Amino acid sequence: MEGKVKSNRKIQICRASGQRLREAAEIVETVDRLMDHREWFVAESLEEFERWMKQGKGILYLAVDADTGEAGGMFFAVIPGMDPENLGYDIGMEETELDQVALMDTAAVLPGFRGYNLQYRMMQAAEQDLQKMGYRYLMCTVHPENRFSRENVKRQGYRKVMTKEKYGGYLRDIWLKELK
């Protein structure tokens, strides 16, 4: 049966501790393995997520079935500061603005959990938290042909700033949202 068949799941979005990173990384690995367009998704490793969390610069969100506790989606935000991975460098931001950037880094939803707007909902939960924390700029990358993610970020008020090679030669659109 195709994974996009929707049941009547009640799904909650929750901020999760680093203790659930392995579970989140397994979601990423599964989604990566099932991708029709492999170049659309560059999967982060568990070690990369752990690195950000240990530095206090990673925030994990999970989409969890309220009845079973099963996680079917994950979202990871990064607070890069002056790290070279800060997308603000790519678009020529002033040095004083770089500390106000948060990266909407990785979103992955298992096939059985699709159809619930989970990428959108997880990004919105992260955005609310990041805004409370004082971040002004949210940035992300999307493969130019990935209409699903592109429409998701457009619907949330992001604007495309540029297209360039990232992540070892993959073409990406860089998107920016300025919080009020």
mmCIF file of all heavy atoms in Angstrom, residues 103-132:
data_model
loop_
_atom_site.group_PDB
_atom_site.id
_atom_site.type_symbol
_atom_site.label_atom_id
_atom_site.label_comp_id
_atom_site.label_asym_id
_atom_site.label_seq_id
_atom_site.Cartn_x
_atom_site.Cartn_y
_atom_site.Cartn_z
ATOM 1 N N LEU A 103 19.028 28.516 11.409
ATOM 2 C CA LEU A 103 18.881 27.698 10.204
ATOM 3 C C LEU A 103 17.775 26.675 10.407
ATOM 4 O O LEU A 103 17.792 25.911 11.377
ATOM 5 C CB LEU A 103 20.193 26.971 9.895
ATOM 6 C CG LEU A 103 21.432 27.840 9.740
ATOM 7 C CD1 LEU A 103 22.638 26.975 9.411
ATOM 8 C CD2 LEU A 103 21.221 28.907 8.681
ATOM 9 N N MET A 104 16.845 26.673 9.488
ATOM 10 C CA MET A 104 15.784 25.674 9.477
ATOM 11 C C MET A 104 16.378 24.515 8.674
ATOM 12 O O MET A 104 16.267 24.459 7.458
ATOM 13 C CB MET A 104 14.524 26.255 8.852
ATOM 14 C CG MET A 104 14.084 27.580 9.495
ATOM 15 S SD MET A 104 13.847 27.472 11.272
ATOM 16 C CE MET A 104 12.088 27.297 11.350
ATOM 17 N N ASP A 105 17.070 23.640 9.365
ATOM 18 C CA ASP A 105 18.062 22.762 8.759
ATOM 19 C C ASP A 105 17.525 21.494 8.098
ATOM 20 O O ASP A 105 17.754 21.277 6.931
ATOM 21 C CB ASP A 105 19.104 22.394 9.817
ATOM 22 C CG ASP A 105 20.302 21.699 9.240
ATOM 23 O OD1 ASP A 105 21.024 22.320 8.450
ATOM 24 O OD2 ASP A 105 20.505 20.513 9.567
ATOM 25 N N THR A 106 16.864 20.643 8.838
ATOM 26 C CA THR A 106 16.481 19.335 8.314
ATOM 27 C C THR A 106 15.039 19.022 8.677
ATOM 28 O O THR A 106 14.655 19.139 9.841
ATOM 29 C CB THR A 106 17.390 18.221 8.893
ATOM 30 O OG1 THR A 106 18.745 18.500 8.564
ATOM 31 C CG2 THR A 106 17.013 16.852 8.346
ATOM 32 N N ALA A 107 14.275 18.616 7.682
ATOM 33 C CA ALA A 107 12.902 18.149 7.900
ATOM 34 C C ALA A 107 12.755 16.813 7.189
ATOM 35 O O ALA A 107 13.170 16.664 6.045
ATOM 36 C CB ALA A 107 11.894 19.156 7.348
ATOM 37 N N ALA A 108 12.162 15.844 7.884
ATOM 38 C CA ALA A 108 11.930 14.526 7.292
ATOM 39 C C ALA A 108 10.645 13.943 7.890
ATOM 40 O O ALA A 108 10.449 13.991 9.108
ATOM 41 C CB ALA A 108 13.115 13.600 7.553
ATOM 42 N N VAL A 109 9.800 13.399 7.008
ATOM 43 C CA VAL A 109 8.534 12.811 7.441
ATOM 44 C C VAL A 109 8.403 11.434 6.797
ATOM 45 O O VAL A 109 8.538 11.302 5.573
ATOM 46 C CB VAL A 109 7.337 13.713 7.047
ATOM 47 C CG1 VAL A 109 6.019 13.053 7.444
ATOM 48 C CG2 VAL A 109 7.468 15.094 7.682
ATOM 49 N N LEU A 110 8.147 10.433 7.621
ATOM 50 C CA LEU A 110 7.973 9.070 7.113
ATOM 51 C C LEU A 110 6.707 8.976 6.261
ATOM 52 O O LEU A 110 5.721 9.679 6.517
ATOM 53 C CB LEU A 110 7.886 8.085 8.275
ATOM 54 C CG LEU A 110 9.156 7.942 9.119
ATOM 55 C CD1 LEU A 110 8.886 7.050 10.331
ATOM 56 C CD2 LEU A 110 10.302 7.394 8.284
ATOM 57 N N PRO A 111 6.708 8.088 5.262
ATOM 58 C CA PRO A 111 5.545 7.972 4.370
ATOM 59 C C PRO A 111 4.212 7.791 5.091
ATOM 60 O O PRO A 111 3.215 8.417 4.718
ATOM 61 C CB PRO A 111 5.884 6.760 3.495
ATOM 62 C CG PRO A 111 7.378 6.752 3.453
ATOM 63 C CD PRO A 111 7.814 7.209 4.830
ATOM 64 N N GLY A 112 4.162 6.997 6.124
ATOM 65 C CA GLY A 112 2.911 6.747 6.837
ATOM 66 C C GLY A 112 2.391 7.946 7.613
ATOM 67 O O GLY A 112 1.272 7.921 8.123
ATOM 68 N N PHE A 113 3.193 9.007 7.706
ATOM 69 C CA PHE A 113 2.804 10.211 8.438
ATOM 70 C C PHE A 113 2.573 11.394 7.497
ATOM 71 O O PHE A 113 2.332 12.507 7.951
ATOM 72 C CB PHE A 113 3.887 10.577 9.461
ATOM 73 C CG PHE A 113 3.841 9.763 10.720
ATOM 74 C CD1 PHE A 113 4.276 8.448 10.729
ATOM 75 C CD2 PHE A 113 3.367 10.312 11.900
ATOM 76 C CE1 PHE A 113 4.251 7.692 11.894
ATOM 77 C CE2 PHE A 113 3.338 9.571 13.075
ATOM 78 C CZ PHE A 113 3.770 8.251 13.071
ATOM 79 N N ARG A 114 2.656 11.164 6.209
ATOM 80 C CA ARG A 114 2.475 12.264 5.266
ATOM 81 C C ARG A 114 1.004 12.602 5.101
ATOM 82 O O ARG A 114 0.137 11.767 5.311
ATOM 83 C CB ARG A 114 3.136 11.919 3.934
ATOM 84 C CG ARG A 114 4.646 11.847 4.112
ATOM 85 C CD ARG A 114 5.402 11.591 2.863
ATOM 86 N NE ARG A 114 6.830 11.481 3.206
ATOM 87 C CZ ARG A 114 7.707 10.799 2.515
ATOM 88 N NH1 ARG A 114 7.347 10.171 1.415
ATOM 89 N NH2 ARG A 114 8.959 10.751 2.906
ATOM 90 N N GLY A 115 0.740 13.857 4.726
ATOM 91 C CA GLY A 115 -0.625 14.317 4.532
ATOM 92 C C GLY A 115 -1.181 15.092 5.715
ATOM 93 O O GLY A 115 -2.349 15.463 5.732
ATOM 94 N N TYR A 116 -0.347 15.360 6.714
ATOM 95 C CA TYR A 116 -0.767 16.093 7.903
ATOM 96 C C TYR A 116 -0.081 17.458 8.018
ATOM 97 O O TYR A 116 -0.093 18.069 9.077
ATOM 98 C CB TYR A 116 -0.453 15.278 9.167
ATOM 99 C CG TYR A 116 -1.245 14.006 9.288
ATOM 100 C CD1 TYR A 116 -0.709 12.799 8.835
ATOM 101 C CD2 TYR A 116 -2.510 14.001 9.856
ATOM 102 C CE1 TYR A 116 -1.429 11.609 8.956
ATOM 103 C CE2 TYR A 116 -3.232 12.826 9.980
ATOM 104 C CZ TYR A 116 -2.684 11.635 9.523
ATOM 105 O OH TYR A 116 -3.396 10.476 9.636
ATOM 106 N N ASN A 117 0.559 17.905 6.955
ATOM 107 C CA ASN A 117 1.295 19.190 6.973
ATOM 108 C C ASN A 117 2.348 19.232 8.070
ATOM 109 O O ASN A 117 2.550 20.266 8.707
ATOM 110 C CB ASN A 117 0.329 20.373 7.125
ATOM 111 C CG ASN A 117 -0.591 20.499 5.953
ATOM 112 O OD1 ASN A 117 -0.157 20.455 4.806
ATOM 113 N ND2 ASN A 117 -1.880 20.635 6.229
ATOM 114 N N LEU A 118 3.033 18.134 8.281
ATOM 115 C CA LEU A 118 3.968 18.057 9.403
ATOM 116 C C LEU A 118 5.210 18.916 9.209
ATOM 117 O O LEU A 118 5.697 19.507 10.175
ATOM 118 C CB LEU A 118 4.349 16.605 9.690
ATOM 119 C CG LEU A 118 3.194 15.734 10.163
ATOM 120 C CD1 LEU A 118 3.675 14.322 10.455
ATOM 121 C CD2 LEU A 118 2.502 16.339 11.379
ATOM 122 N N GLN A 119 5.736 19.004 7.994
ATOM 123 C CA GLN A 119 6.895 19.869 7.787
ATOM 124 C C GLN A 119 6.514 21.300 8.166
ATOM 125 O O GLN A 119 7.235 21.967 8.902
ATOM 126 C CB GLN A 119 7.393 19.802 6.340
ATOM 127 C CG GLN A 119 8.596 20.683 6.099
ATOM 128 C CD GLN A 119 9.124 20.594 4.664
ATOM 129 O OE1 GLN A 119 8.626 19.835 3.842
ATOM 130 N NE2 GLN A 119 10.131 21.377 4.378
ATOM 131 N N TYR A 120 5.381 21.743 7.694
ATOM 132 C CA TYR A 120 4.893 23.086 8.002
ATOM 133 C C TYR A 120 4.710 23.255 9.512
ATOM 134 O O TYR A 120 5.176 24.228 10.108
ATOM 135 C CB TYR A 120 3.568 23.317 7.270
ATOM 136 C CG TYR A 120 2.952 24.658 7.531
ATOM 137 C CD1 TYR A 120 3.241 25.751 6.714
ATOM 138 C CD2 TYR A 120 2.059 24.855 8.583
ATOM 139 C CE1 TYR A 120 2.673 26.994 6.941
ATOM 140 C CE2 TYR A 120 1.489 26.095 8.816
ATOM 141 C CZ TYR A 120 1.799 27.158 8.002
ATOM 142 O OH TYR A 120 1.239 28.380 8.234
ATOM 143 N N ARG A 121 4.026 22.316 10.135
ATOM 144 C CA ARG A 121 3.720 22.416 11.568
ATOM 145 C C ARG A 121 4.986 22.395 12.430
ATOM 146 O O ARG A 121 5.080 23.149 13.407
ATOM 147 C CB ARG A 121 2.764 21.302 11.978
ATOM 148 C CG ARG A 121 1.357 21.496 11.389
ATOM 149 C CD ARG A 121 0.453 20.294 11.618
ATOM 150 N NE ARG A 121 0.360 19.917 13.012
ATOM 151 C CZ ARG A 121 -0.109 18.734 13.432
ATOM 152 N NH1 ARG A 121 -0.524 17.833 12.551
ATOM 153 N NH2 ARG A 121 -0.161 18.470 14.720
ATOM 154 N N MET A 122 5.944 21.556 12.070
ATOM 155 C CA MET A 122 7.193 21.510 12.842
ATOM 156 C C MET A 122 7.982 22.803 12.665
ATOM 157 O O MET A 122 8.544 23.336 13.627
ATOM 158 C CB MET A 122 8.030 20.287 12.450
ATOM 159 C CG MET A 122 7.417 18.975 12.906
ATOM 160 S SD MET A 122 8.463 17.513 12.581
ATOM 161 C CE MET A 122 8.387 17.388 10.796
ATOM 162 N N MET A 123 8.018 23.318 11.436
ATOM 163 C CA MET A 123 8.727 24.583 11.197
ATOM 164 C C MET A 123 8.055 25.726 11.954
ATOM 165 O O MET A 123 8.739 26.609 12.475
ATOM 166 C CB MET A 123 8.791 24.897 9.701
ATOM 167 C CG MET A 123 9.800 24.049 8.953
ATOM 168 S SD MET A 123 9.883 24.458 7.190
ATOM 169 C CE MET A 123 10.810 26.002 7.233
ATOM 170 N N GLN A 124 6.733 25.713 12.030
ATOM 171 C CA GLN A 124 6.027 26.756 12.769
ATOM 172 C C GLN A 124 6.340 26.682 14.265
ATOM 173 O O GLN A 124 6.528 27.712 14.911
ATOM 174 C CB GLN A 124 4.515 26.652 12.530
ATOM 175 C CG GLN A 124 4.085 27.153 11.173
ATOM 176 C CD GLN A 124 4.352 28.635 11.012
ATOM 177 O OE1 GLN A 124 3.790 29.463 11.717
ATOM 178 N NE2 GLN A 124 5.245 28.975 10.097
ATOM 179 N N ALA A 125 6.408 25.483 14.815
ATOM 180 C CA ALA A 125 6.768 25.324 16.229
ATOM 181 C C ALA A 125 8.167 25.868 16.474
ATOM 182 O O ALA A 125 8.406 26.601 17.448
ATOM 183 C CB ALA A 125 6.671 23.850 16.638
ATOM 184 N N ALA A 126 9.092 25.537 15.580
ATOM 185 C CA ALA A 126 10.465 26.043 15.721
ATOM 186 C C ALA A 126 10.490 27.562 15.596
ATOM 187 O O ALA A 126 11.168 28.251 16.367
ATOM 188 C CB ALA A 126 11.365 25.398 14.674
ATOM 189 N N GLU A 127 9.757 28.087 14.621
ATOM 190 C CA GLU A 127 9.733 29.538 14.416
ATOM 191 C C GLU A 127 9.245 30.264 15.668
ATOM 192 O O GLU A 127 9.830 31.272 16.074
ATOM 193 C CB GLU A 127 8.847 29.889 13.228
ATOM 194 C CG GLU A 127 8.781 31.377 12.959
ATOM 195 C CD GLU A 127 7.959 31.735 11.733
ATOM 196 O OE1 GLU A 127 8.038 31.003 10.716
ATOM 197 O OE2 GLU A 127 7.251 32.755 11.798
ATOM 198 N N GLN A 128 8.195 29.762 16.287
ATOM 199 C CA GLN A 128 7.677 30.390 17.510
ATOM 200 C C GLN A 128 8.733 30.403 18.603
ATOM 201 O O GLN A 128 8.940 31.423 19.264
ATOM 202 C CB GLN A 128 6.414 29.676 17.979
ATOM 203 C CG GLN A 128 5.229 29.910 17.075
ATOM 204 C CD GLN A 128 4.035 29.037 17.433
ATOM 205 O OE1 GLN A 128 3.994 28.381 18.474
ATOM 206 N NE2 GLN A 128 3.041 29.014 16.557
ATOM 207 N N ASP A 129 9.405 29.278 18.797
ATOM 208 C CA ASP A 129 10.456 29.211 19.815
ATOM 209 C C ASP A 129 11.612 30.152 19.486
ATOM 210 O O ASP A 129 12.110 30.874 20.356
ATOM 211 C CB ASP A 129 10.986 27.783 19.957
ATOM 212 C CG ASP A 129 10.010 26.850 20.650
ATOM 213 O OD1 ASP A 129 9.009 27.331 21.245
ATOM 214 O OD2 ASP A 129 10.234 25.627 20.591
ATOM 215 N N LEU A 130 12.045 30.140 18.231
ATOM 216 C CA LEU A 130 13.186 30.969 17.832
ATOM 217 C C LEU A 130 12.863 32.455 17.948
ATOM 218 O O LEU A 130 13.722 33.253 18.337
ATOM 219 C CB LEU A 130 13.629 30.604 16.416
ATOM 220 C CG LEU A 130 14.257 29.211 16.304
ATOM 221 C CD1 LEU A 130 14.274 28.752 14.857
ATOM 222 C CD2 LEU A 130 15.648 29.187 16.917
ATOM 223 N N GLN A 131 11.643 32.820 17.640
ATOM 224 C CA GLN A 131 11.253 34.216 17.776
ATOM 225 C C GLN A 131 11.288 34.631 19.253
ATOM 226 O O GLN A 131 11.801 35.695 19.589
ATOM 227 C CB GLN A 131 9.868 34.451 17.188
ATOM 228 C CG GLN A 131 9.492 35.920 17.120
ATOM 229 C CD GLN A 131 8.312 36.180 16.212
ATOM 230 O OE1 GLN A 131 7.473 35.312 15.989
ATOM 231 N NE2 GLN A 131 8.249 37.370 15.674
ATOM 232 N N LYS A 132 10.792 33.774 20.145
ATOM 233 C CA LYS A 132 10.842 34.052 21.592
ATOM 234 C C LYS A 132 12.286 34.168 22.076
ATOM 235 O O LYS A 132 12.566 34.897 23.015
ATOM 236 C CB LYS A 132 10.128 32.953 22.375
ATOM 237 C CG LYS A 132 8.621 32.980 22.239
ATOM 238 C CD LYS A 132 7.994 31.806 22.969
ATOM 239 C CE LYS A 132 6.526 31.669 22.621
ATOM 240 N NZ LYS A 132 5.965 30.404 23.096
#
